[in-house]
Tab-separated table of all heavy atoms in Angstrom:
chain	number	residue	atom	x	y	z
A	203	ASN	N	-1.257	7.235	0.684
A	203	ASN	CA	-1.285	6.731	2.073
A	203	ASN	C	-2.610	6.055	2.415
A	203	ASN	O	-3.664	6.676	2.311
A	203	ASN	CB	-1.058	7.882	3.055
A	203	ASN	CG	0.303	8.520	2.882
A	203	ASN	OD1	0.625	9.011	1.803
A	203	ASN	ND2	1.106	8.506	3.922
A	204	THR	N	-2.510	4.820	2.842
A	204	THR	CA	-3.701	4.039	3.194
A	204	THR	C	-3.558	3.554	4.635
A	204	THR	O	-2.441	3.255	5.073
A	204	THR	CB	-3.836	2.853	2.220
A	204	THR	OG1	-3.871	3.382	0.893
A	204	THR	CG2	-5.103	2.068	2.469
A	205	TYR	N	-4.684	3.499	5.339
A	205	TYR	CA	-4.634	3.147	6.760
A	205	TYR	C	-5.811	2.256	7.093
A	205	TYR	O	-6.787	2.164	6.327
A	205	TYR	CB	-4.674	4.432	7.623
A	205	TYR	CG	-6.009	5.122	7.552
A	205	TYR	CD1	-6.950	4.962	8.570
A	205	TYR	CD2	-6.361	5.877	6.431
A	205	TYR	CE1	-8.202	5.563	8.480
A	205	TYR	CE2	-7.610	6.462	6.345
A	205	TYR	CZ	-8.518	6.308	7.362
A	205	TYR	OH	-9.762	6.872	7.263
A	206	GLY	N	-5.740	1.616	8.262
A	206	GLY	CA	-6.855	0.792	8.706
A	206	GLY	C	-6.363	-0.324	9.609
A	206	GLY	O	-5.163	-0.421	9.910
A	207	PRO	N	-7.298	-1.189	10.040
A	207	PRO	CA	-6.912	-2.322	10.883
A	207	PRO	C	-5.839	-3.164	10.204
A	207	PRO	O	-5.827	-3.303	8.990
A	207	PRO	CB	-8.221	-3.119	11.007
A	207	PRO	CG	-9.289	-2.104	10.789
A	207	PRO	CD	-8.734	-1.110	9.816
A	208	ARG	N	-4.967	-3.750	11.018
A	208	ARG	CA	-3.841	-4.614	10.609
A	208	ARG	C	-2.627	-3.844	10.101
A	208	ARG	O	-1.713	-4.444	9.573
A	208	ARG	CB	-4.239	-5.654	9.552
A	208	ARG	CG	-5.246	-6.644	10.073
A	208	ARG	CD	-5.255	-7.907	9.223
A	208	ARG	NE	-6.567	-8.491	9.313
A	208	ARG	CZ	-7.406	-8.679	8.301
A	208	ARG	NH1	-7.018	-8.409	7.067
A	208	ARG	NH2	-8.572	-9.189	8.510
A	209	MET	N	-2.634	-2.516	10.243
A	209	MET	CA	-1.365	-1.813	10.020
A	209	MET	C	-0.406	-2.358	11.060
A	209	MET	O	-0.803	-2.642	12.189
A	209	MET	CB	-1.510	-0.311	10.275
A	209	MET	CG	-2.368	0.396	9.298
A	209	MET	SD	-2.361	2.165	9.645
A	209	MET	CE	-0.929	2.697	8.715
A	210	HIS	N	0.855	-2.468	10.697
A	210	HIS	CA	1.829	-2.994	11.647
A	210	HIS	C	2.052	-1.975	12.763
A	210	HIS	O	2.328	-0.806	12.488
A	210	HIS	CB	3.140	-3.289	10.917
A	210	HIS	CG	4.039	-4.184	11.670
A	210	HIS	ND1	4.663	-3.788	12.830
A	210	HIS	CD2	4.408	-5.452	11.463
A	210	HIS	CE1	5.383	-4.794	13.284
A	210	HIS	NE2	5.245	-5.820	12.474
A	211	PRO	N	1.918	-2.396	14.040
A	211	PRO	CA	2.026	-1.408	15.123
A	211	PRO	C	3.405	-0.740	15.229
A	211	PRO	O	3.496	0.378	15.728
A	211	PRO	CB	1.735	-2.232	16.392
A	211	PRO	CG	1.861	-3.666	16.002
A	211	PRO	CD	1.601	-3.743	14.524
A	212	ASN	N	4.448	-1.396	14.728
A	212	ASN	CA	5.789	-0.815	14.889
A	212	ASN	C	6.400	-0.323	13.590
A	212	ASN	O	7.613	-0.200	13.496
A	212	ASN	CB	6.751	-1.851	15.500
A	212	ASN	CG	6.315	-2.261	16.871
A	212	ASN	OD1	5.779	-1.441	17.624
A	212	ASN	ND2	6.495	-3.532	17.190
A	213	ASP	N	5.587	-0.101	12.582
A	213	ASP	CA	6.247	0.274	11.319
A	213	ASP	C	6.414	1.775	11.153
A	213	ASP	O	6.909	2.236	10.137
A	213	ASP	CB	5.590	-0.400	10.104
A	213	ASP	CG	4.265	0.232	9.719
A	213	ASP	OD1	3.881	1.245	10.331
A	213	ASP	OD2	3.629	-0.301	8.798
A	214	GLY	N	6.009	2.526	12.187
A	214	GLY	CA	6.350	3.948	12.222
A	214	GLY	C	5.492	4.818	11.336
A	214	GLY	O	5.765	6.006	11.193
A	215	ARG	N	4.441	4.255	10.711
A	215	ARG	CA	3.610	5.115	9.873
A	215	ARG	C	2.778	6.029	10.761
A	215	ARG	O	2.451	5.698	11.901
A	215	ARG	CB	2.737	4.279	8.942
A	215	ARG	CG	3.540	3.832	7.742
A	215	ARG	CD	2.703	3.153	6.698
A	215	ARG	NE	2.741	1.717	6.844
A	215	ARG	CZ	2.313	0.877	5.909
A	215	ARG	NH1	1.831	1.350	4.779
A	215	ARG	NH2	2.365	-0.426	6.096
A	216	VAL	N	2.419	7.178	10.199
A	216	VAL	CA	1.891	8.231	11.053
A	216	VAL	C	0.560	7.846	11.721
A	216	VAL	O	0.353	8.134	12.905
A	216	VAL	CB	1.799	9.567	10.275
A	216	VAL	CG1	0.729	9.543	9.182
A	216	VAL	CG2	1.573	10.720	11.211
A	217	VAL	N	-0.329	7.176	11.000
A	217	VAL	CA	-1.645	6.885	11.593
A	217	VAL	C	-1.501	5.897	12.751
A	217	VAL	O	-2.035	6.118	13.852
A	217	VAL	CB	-2.630	6.348	10.525
A	217	VAL	CG1	-3.923	5.887	11.180
A	217	VAL	CG2	-2.922	7.426	9.475
A	218	SER	N	-0.747	4.812	12.535
A	218	SER	CA	-0.586	3.825	13.609
A	218	SER	C	0.210	4.427	14.771
A	218	SER	O	-0.123	4.208	15.942
A	218	SER	CB	0.073	2.550	13.078
A	218	SER	OG	1.161	2.853	12.245
A	219	ASN	N	1.254	5.194	14.462
A	219	ASN	CA	2.023	5.845	15.539
A	219	ASN	C	1.125	6.717	16.411
A	219	ASN	O	1.108	6.579	17.641
A	219	ASN	CB	3.108	6.745	14.940
A	219	ASN	CG	4.447	6.051	14.847
A	219	ASN	OD1	4.532	4.838	14.985
A	219	ASN	ND2	5.502	6.817	14.594
A	220	PHE	N	0.369	7.618	15.779
A	220	PHE	CA	-0.446	8.572	16.550
A	220	PHE	C	-1.499	7.832	17.383
A	220	PHE	O	-1.723	8.165	18.553
A	220	PHE	CB	-1.139	9.581	15.624
A	220	PHE	CG	-0.228	10.679	15.109
A	220	PHE	CD1	-0.711	11.640	14.227
A	220	PHE	CD2	1.098	10.766	15.504
A	220	PHE	CE1	0.105	12.665	13.752
A	220	PHE	CE2	1.938	11.779	15.031
A	220	PHE	CZ	1.434	12.733	14.147
A	221	ILE	N	-2.157	6.845	16.772
A	221	ILE	CA	-3.228	6.153	17.514
A	221	ILE	C	-2.638	5.420	18.722
A	221	ILE	O	-3.152	5.521	19.842
A	221	ILE	CB	-3.994	5.174	16.594
A	221	ILE	CG1	-4.791	5.961	15.548
A	221	ILE	CG2	-4.912	4.265	17.408
A	221	ILE	CD1	-5.554	5.107	14.543
A	222	LEU	N	-1.547	4.702	18.513
A	222	LEU	CA	-0.961	3.952	19.633
A	222	LEU	C	-0.440	4.903	20.706
A	222	LEU	O	-0.620	4.661	21.904
A	222	LEU	CB	0.149	3.029	19.130
A	222	LEU	CG	-0.392	1.761	18.459
A	222	LEU	CD1	0.700	1.041	17.675
A	222	LEU	CD2	-0.991	0.815	19.506
A	223	GLN	N	0.196	5.985	20.285
A	223	GLN	CA	0.695	6.955	21.262
A	223	GLN	C	-0.476	7.531	22.066
A	223	GLN	O	-0.407	7.621	23.304
A	223	GLN	CB	1.467	8.079	20.541
A	223	GLN	CG	2.811	7.606	19.986
A	223	GLN	CD	3.420	8.558	18.953
A	223	GLN	OE1	2.719	9.379	18.364
A	223	GLN	NE2	4.720	8.430	18.721
Side-chain angles (χ1 to χ4, degrees):
N203 297 59
T204 304
Y205 69 100
R208 296 200 207 118
M209 292 184 87
H210 197 291
N212 297 325
D213 75 4
R215 279 187 264 194
V216 69
V217 173
S218 45
N219 264 14
F220 283 178
I221 292 178
L222 282 166
Q223 289 164 340

